[in-house]
Amino acid sequence: MQKRKCPFFSSGFCNSPMLENPTDSVTNSIRCLDKYESCRYYVKGQEKKGLEEYEVEEIAQEVTFYKEANLLSEAIDSACENYVLNKLEDGFIASCKSMGRTLTRSQAFLCRSYWERCPFRK
């Protein structure tokens, strides 16, 4: 039997609307991954459904990069559907959905110029 996951539990943190900020101090694996309706921070009717839940999970992923190799000072666009450009305070970070990782500056320039010949593009 598959365990149900609390809709407010993401990446080890509780994101209940009853809390001011997400926290891991109130999480419990038994409660958060199975019997979440008994939690005092569970709010019935506030959980997201369908695509809304997927978008929350995708946003919760942490972008990891090495600033000296990956940070772009200007926005470099690509016509490739797997190319993702994220805006940060210091600049931009490019990533590839096909490879599932952050791109270096030189790879971002290659994606802009030679996206049709990319071996990872399908």
Side-chain angles (χ1 to χ4, degrees), residues 65-78 83-95 102-112:
F65 63 93
Y66 181 59
K67 191 173 182 177
E68 283 74 20
N70 303 110
L71 189 66
L72 305 168
S73 58
E74 62 186 48
I76 298 174
D77 290 325
S78 174
Y83 184 85
V84 179
L85 189 65
N86 295 308
K87 172 92 171 100
L88 301 176
E89 291 178 11
D90 298 341
F92 299 88
I93 293 292
S95 60
T102 304
L103 300 175
T104 62
R105 283 192 291 265
S106 61
Q107 290 170 332
F109 284 107
L110 291 173
C111 282
R112 178 177 61 185

Side-chain angles (χ1 to χ4, degrees), residues 43-83:
V43 181
K44 188 173 176 96
Q46 291 284 328
E47 59 272 336
K48 305 240 182 217
K49 300 286 184 200
L51 184 58
E52 292 175 327
E53 183 177 335
Y54 175 76
E55 289 173 350
V56 168
E57 288 297 319
E58 187 174 30
I59 292 169
Q61 293 178 356
E62 182 179 342
V63 178
T64 57
F65 63 93
Y66 181 59
K67 191 173 182 177
E68 283 74 20
N70 303 110
L71 189 66
L72 305 168
S73 58
E74 62 186 48
I76 298 174
D77 290 325
S78 174
C80 180
E81 64 273 4
N82 296 314
Y83 184 85

